[in-house]
Amino acid sequence: EIQLQESGPGLVKPSQSLSLTCSVTGYTITSGYDWSWIRKFPGNKMEWMGYISYSGSTNYNPSLKSRISITRDTSKNQFFLQLNSVTTEDTATYYCARGGQLFDYWGQGVMVTVSS
Amino acid sequence: DVQMTQSPSYLAASPGESVSISCKASKSISNNLAWYQEKPGKANKLLIHSGSTLQSGTPSRFSGSGSGTDFTLTIRSLEFEDFAVYYCQQYNEYPYTFGAGTKLELK
């Protein structure tokens, strides 16, 4: 069974970087598919943030392009999100998911609050 | 960006009833639309893609219709497990965008 699990700090200070890990079991991230980060803001608005492909290429939402980086560690079957210069508006629940267009497996999400 | 407008935001129904949720795109997205189900403590579930194609494992009481700008998710003969939040998502053009969600509540 394919499972994704997000992990990372639940509280980040403004202007700092937000770093999250998605650990994947049941499927090797280099075997295929794109691997995405998606977030849901308070009030339920959802935003696709970007993905890293099975080959390592990336594609980001233009609204985040200057602040976001998605990388991976193939030896650990993990991929990562880094979002720089966060503000309170980055407070959200962050999800990792399999897919770059359709998202057929999701993690349960991790809530991240940006606050001093 | 393509704006996705879902309605209603909230919907109350009883088991056995049928309900429909609307999703409208700000421009044509062909049939590149997906529906997801969100339940507390569970991973989001892809229900339908390509506007009307059921994802493997989706019960047949779920159906999707529409193309272009107007889409509908219909759930027939509601079961208790169907009470959840439903989102539409377009994947016709980047950046892919979601509707604001419809919360289906037990009446």
Side-chain angles (χ1 to χ4, degrees), chain A residues 40 51 59 100-103, chain B residues 36 38 41 43 89 91 94 96:
Chain A
K40 186 176 73 169
Y51 69 70
N59 189 15
Q101 291 184 309
L102 296 172
F103 311 108
Chain B
Y36 299 89
E38 176 188 88
Q89 177 235 332
Y91 53 95
Y94 282 113
Y96 301 140

Side-chain angles (χ1 to χ4, degrees), chain A residues 28-95:
Chain A
T28 302
I29 62 173
T30 56
S31 294
Y33 292 93
D34 302 319
W35 301 86
S36 285
W37 287 97
I38 296 161
R39 62 182 177 176
K40 186 176 73 169
F41 298 102
N44 285 349
K45 175 178 161 64
M46 294 186 71
E47 178 181 63
W48 169 76
M49 302 180 71
Y51 69 70
I52 187 165
S53 75
Y54 69 94
S55 63
S57 62
T58 55
N59 189 15
Y60 301 133
N61 189 319
S63 69
L64 299 168
K65 209 157 193 177
S66 62
R67 299 198 291 137
I68 189 174
S69 176
I70 299 176
T71 57
R72 64 182 183 172
D73 183 337
T74 57
S75 67
K76 295 182 178 178
N77 214 38
Q78 295 175 327
F79 63 105
F80 311 103
L81 170 70
Q82 181 172 317
L83 187 65
N84 299 322
S85 305
V86 298
T87 72
T88 56
E89 295 189 353
D90 293 309
T91 293
T93 298
Y94 287 77
Y95 300 90

Side-chain angles (χ1 to χ4, degrees), chain A residues 101-115:
Chain A
Q101 291 184 309
L102 296 172
F103 311 108
D104 60 352
Y105 290 93
W106 295 62
Q108 293 196 11
V110 59
M111 189 178 302
V112 178
T113 300
V114 179
S115 175

